[in-house]
């Protein structure tokens, strides 16, 4: 006879195919608290004609599992508490580059009756930077989990919780919230735990942020240079690059 459960485990309950799931009237899109499985799956299936965003949904009030993990009977790997700030850094940049997929109907992507505001050759070069940034975050999360043995025993998880608690004293909420969503995400990043420079693989994540910034900036530079050569217009490239620098949501660390 299997041992009796001493506490209610919603994941164990919901993983039983015979157990009815209490469904939400409307599925909830987990915009920032997505799981790593959905993040990686979304990246593999990403259609470059649209901005990238993790496709993670919850359709039940009972289980901690998202819809995808529940349907595949998987284990939901939430983002580790110690790197939640880096999630918001990533989301700030993903939100920031959405502007390059805007079409002339104020939507994203290319419908049949709308054209991109930016030229398609330019748009096709941006996904490479986005893809590399997402891979860098996946590597960061994997390395962080291994460094703290978070796939191991409960003792390791308790030690990790204490490690996180000891670092939260330096985090303070901000009173002024910016209007732009990418700036909000950048602000939220400072209100959650992040690795410090020199810890674990933080240096690689910082380098990935630099690479993303430089790739997008160079793509913009080439776009306006080529456009000027083709149609003879004299675009003020300097002002365009200044706007890019001022709008870039993250403050990059000096490496």
């Amino acid at each position: 006879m299997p041992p009796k459960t001493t506490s209610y485990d919603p994941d164990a309950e919901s993983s039983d195919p015979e157990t009815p799931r209490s469904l939400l009237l409307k599925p909830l899109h987990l915009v920032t608290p997505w799981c790593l499985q959905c993040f990686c799956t979304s990246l593999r299936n990403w259609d470059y004609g649209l901005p990238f965003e993790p496709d993670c949904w919850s359709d039940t009030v009972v289980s901690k599992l998202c819809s995808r993990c529940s349907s595949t009977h998987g284990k939901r790997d939430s983002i580790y508490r110690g790197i939640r700030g880096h999630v918001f850094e990533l989301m700030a940049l993903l939100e920031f580059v959405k502007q390059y997929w805007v079409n002339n109907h104020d939507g994203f992507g290319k419908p049949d009756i709308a054209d991109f505001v930016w030229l398609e050759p330019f748009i096709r070069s941006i996904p490479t930077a986005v893809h590399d940034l997402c891979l860098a975050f996946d590597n960061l999360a994997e390395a962080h989990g291994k460094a703290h043995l978070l796939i191991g025993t409960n003792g390791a998880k308790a030690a990790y919780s204490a490690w996180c608690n000891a670092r939260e004293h330096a985090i303070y909420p901000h009173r002024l919230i910016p209007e732009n969503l990418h700036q909000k995400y950048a602000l939220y990043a400072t209100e959650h735990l992040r690795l410090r420079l020199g810890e674990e693989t933080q240096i690689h994540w910082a380098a990935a942020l630099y690479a993303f910034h430089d790739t997008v900036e160079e793509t913009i530079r080439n776009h306006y240079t080529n456009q000027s050569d083709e149609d003879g217009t004299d675009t003020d490239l300097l002002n365009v690059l200044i706007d890019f620098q001022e709008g870039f949501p993250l403050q990059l660390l000096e490496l």
Side-chain angles (χ1 to χ4, degrees), residues 27 94 113 122 128 172-173 176 196 245-246 248:
L94 294 180
I113 57 175
F122 169 83
T128 300
Y172 299 95
L176 298 178
R196 297 163 183 165
Q245 295 291 355
E246 292 180 347
F248 195 79

Side-chain angles (χ1 to χ4, degrees), residues 76-92:
R76 186 178 194 270
D77 285 337
S78 300
I79 302 299
Y80 303 121
R81 178 181 163 197
I83 58 172
R84 282 290 295 164
H86 296 307
V87 172
F88 285 105
E89 289 178 338
L90 173 64
M91 294 304 297

Side-chain angles (χ1 to χ4, degrees), residues 2-210:
K4 293 183 178 180
T5 304
T6 56
S7 61
Y8 177 63
D9 184 351
D11 288 340
E13 291 288 337
S14 62
S15 63
D16 184 353
E18 301 299 326
T19 302
R21 305 176 74 228
S22 179
L23 300 179
L24 296 170
L25 293 178
K26 183 179 180 181
L28 177 64
H29 186 199
L30 304 177
V31 179
T32 57
W34 33 262
C35 68
L36 284 172
Q37 286 89 339
C38 286
F39 174 76
C40 294
T41 301
S42 300
L43 188 61
R44 287 195 300 269
N45 299 333
W46 179 29
D47 175 7
Y48 288 176
L50 291 169
F52 173 72
E53 60 180 6
D55 187 25
C56 191
W57 296 78
S58 176
D59 62 358
T60 177
V61 297
V62 176
S63 176
K64 296 178 182 178
L65 297 177
C66 66
S67 302
R68 188 194 308 274
C69 293
S70 177
S71 63
T72 59
H73 305 291
K75 176 176 173 56
R76 186 178 194 270
D77 285 337
S78 300
I79 302 299
Y80 303 121
R81 178 181 163 197
I83 58 172
R84 282 290 295 164
H86 296 307
V87 172
F88 285 105
E89 289 178 338
L90 173 64
M91 294 304 297
L93 296 181
L94 294 180
E95 188 66 29
F96 174 69
V97 296
K98 277 186 178 181
Q99 61 182 300
Y100 303 123
W101 276 271
V102 170
N103 59 47
N104 58 17
H105 284 189
D106 295 327
F108 294 114
K110 187 177 181 181
D112 294 336
I113 57 175
D115 292 324
F116 287 119
V117 173
W118 295 76
L119 297 179
E120 287 193 58
F122 169 83
I123 297 171
R124 287 197 296 268
S125 63
I126 295 295
T128 300
V130 172
H131 188 269
D132 290 347
L133 181 68
C134 290
L135 288 181
F137 177 81
D138 185 44
N139 291 336
L140 173 74
E142 181 180 4
H144 185 67
K146 290 180 178 179
H148 292 271
L149 306 175
L150 296 179
I151 307 178
T153 64
N154 290 332
K157 294 178 181 179
Y160 179 69
S161 180
W163 181 82
C164 291
N165 290 340
R167 300 164 73 94
E168 286 197 329
H169 67 88
I171 298 178
Y172 299 95
H174 295 269
R175 295 183 178 181
L176 298 178
I177 305 298
E179 295 182 1
N180 294 330
L181 184 55
H182 61 273
Q183 296 290 357
K184 287 182 180 179
Y185 284 150
L187 185 65
Y188 297 157
T190 66
E191 298 178 343
H192 291 77
L193 292 177
R194 294 178 291 176
L195 297 178
R196 297 163 183 165
L197 189 62
E199 288 184 330
E200 301 171 18
T201 58
Q202 199 278 343
I203 186 68
H204 299 294
W205 174 244
L209 297 180
Y210 263 103

Side-chain angles (χ1 to χ4, degrees), residues 117-119 221-235:
V117 173
W118 295 76
L119 297 179
R221 187 189 305 275
N222 292 337
H223 167 78
Y224 278 99
T225 300
N226 294 336
Q227 189 178 35
S228 298
D229 293 341
E230 290 177 2
D231 56 25
T233 59
D234 185 17
T235 304

